[in-house]
């Protein structure tokens, strides 16, 4: 299976930590030079430095993906330093969502759509011309267990991730004609700072509904991202690939609220 990414440049949004970081590391292990974006400058720089130890070029570029101007500047820096982007992974995300009936969470629809949908759109817009020019590219969007059937008590997150799935399907149809494959990876719950914050009751409910009985390691999600980025998956387009251990969605992850 050809997973070689030598000579390719990958940009991974929100890759200062968690599944984004693990994905950037795996892409680098397969030979790609990587652009480590994060809204948090310190973790972006730190991750880039660690990845350079793997023997590839890596730069940390802080930017808020929901800000068009910041994304444009980020892609300009990336292109100047590492060449045009061949692989874009839209991973940056926020976990801030709560019940529809709780007014405290009214503003979370805007936040979730800004980061997950518009963040992915901004990044895709900025890299797409280069991909069209070379007639080849890979865009991988992070959807979620939330696009399996919704997950209760987090409508803003559900809506944002379903909209990103819609963008994936639609752009796959249009951009496939240009040689650009657009797919989604849909993780379930993984060992990241989000799940670290879950109460025992929430963790138990999730694991009771997971055939494998455990959370994913970020590296297990990263392996699938690397596959979707690689030549080995060149005939995969418009697909949402689930990496959730067969997780059954739960109807409330806010048992502790
Ligand atoms: P996950 O469980 O998905 O791995 P994390 O919270 O560990 O989630 O990682 C998400 C990353 O996305 C964080 O490093 C966070 O700083 C980053 N991030 C959040 N919002 C933005 C944004 N607007 N622009 C860029 N990066 C962001």
């Amino acid at each position: 299976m050809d997973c070689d990414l030598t000579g390719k440049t990958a940009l991974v949004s929100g890759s200062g930590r968690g599944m984004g970081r693990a994905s950037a590391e795996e892409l680098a292990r397969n030979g790609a030079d990587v652009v480590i974006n994060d809204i948090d400058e310190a973790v972006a720089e730190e991750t880039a430095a660690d990845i350079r130890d793997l023997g590839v070029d890596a730069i940390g570029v802080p930017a808020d993906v929901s800000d068009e101007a910041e994304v444009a500047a980020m892609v300009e820096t990336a292109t100047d330093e590492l060449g045009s982007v061949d692989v874009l992974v839209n991973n940056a995300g926020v976990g801030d969502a709560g019940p529809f009936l709780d007014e405290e969470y009214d503003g979370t629809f805007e936040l979730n759509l800004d980061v997950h949908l518009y963040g992915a759109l901004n990044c895709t817009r900025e890299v797409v011309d280069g991909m069209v020019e070379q007639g080849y590219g890979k865009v991988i969007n992070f959807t979620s267990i939330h696009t399996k059937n919704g997950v209760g008590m987090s409508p803003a997150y559900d809506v944002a991730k379903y909209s990103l799935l819609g963008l994936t399907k639609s752009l796959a149809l249009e951009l496939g004609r240009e040689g650009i494959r657009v797919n989604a990876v849909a993780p379930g719950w993984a060992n990241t700072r989000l799940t670290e914050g879950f109460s025992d009751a929430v963790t138990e409910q999730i694991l009771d509904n997971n055939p494998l009985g455990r959370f994913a390691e970020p590296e297990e999600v990263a392996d699938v991202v690397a596959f979707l980025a690689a030549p080995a998956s060149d005939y995969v387009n418009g697909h949402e690939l689930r990496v959730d251990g067969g997780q059954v969605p739960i109807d409330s992850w806010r048992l502790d609220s």
Side-chain angles (χ1 to χ4, degrees), residues 14 17-19 37-40 63-65 91-94 115 192-193:
R17 55 171 76 81
M19 292 185 267
N37 156 262
D38 208 283
I39 198 169
D40 180 339
D64 176 350
V65 291
N91 159 77
V94 289
V115 177
T192 64
R193 62 181 181 160

Side-chain angles (χ1 to χ4, degrees), residues 45-58:
E45 298 295 354
E46 193 186 307
T47 301
D50 289 348
I51 288 182
R52 282 193 290 274
D53 290 343
L54 297 172
V56 297
D57 279 344

Side-chain angles (χ1 to χ4, degrees), residues 2-86:
D2 183 3
C3 285
D4 186 18
L5 294 170
T6 308
K8 299 265 195 298
T9 294
L11 190 161
V12 186
S13 72
S15 54
R17 55 171 76 81
M19 292 185 267
R21 177 180 166 128
S23 300
E25 285 173 351
E26 191 54 31
L27 295 171
R29 268 187 222 104
N30 290 350
D33 295 325
V34 288
V35 182
I36 306 299
N37 156 262
D38 208 283
I39 198 169
D40 180 339
E41 180 168 5
V43 294
E45 298 295 354
E46 193 186 307
T47 301
D50 289 348
I51 288 182
R52 282 193 290 274
D53 290 343
L54 297 172
V56 297
D57 279 344
I59 54 171
V61 189
D64 176 350
V65 291
S66 68
D67 184 308
E68 280 180 48
E70 287 188 28
V71 170
M74 166 177 76
V75 172
E76 199 181 330
T77 304
T79 308
D80 285 352
E81 296 200 23
L82 300 181
S84 77
V85 174
D86 306 284

Side-chain angles (χ1 to χ4, degrees), residues 111-131:
L111 173 68
N112 275 274
L113 285 165
D114 277 351
V115 177
H116 298 121
L117 176 62
Y118 288 101
L121 256 179
N122 291 338
C123 293
T124 307
R125 278 199 180 113
E126 287 301 322
V127 304
V128 77
D129 288 348
M131 291 179 175

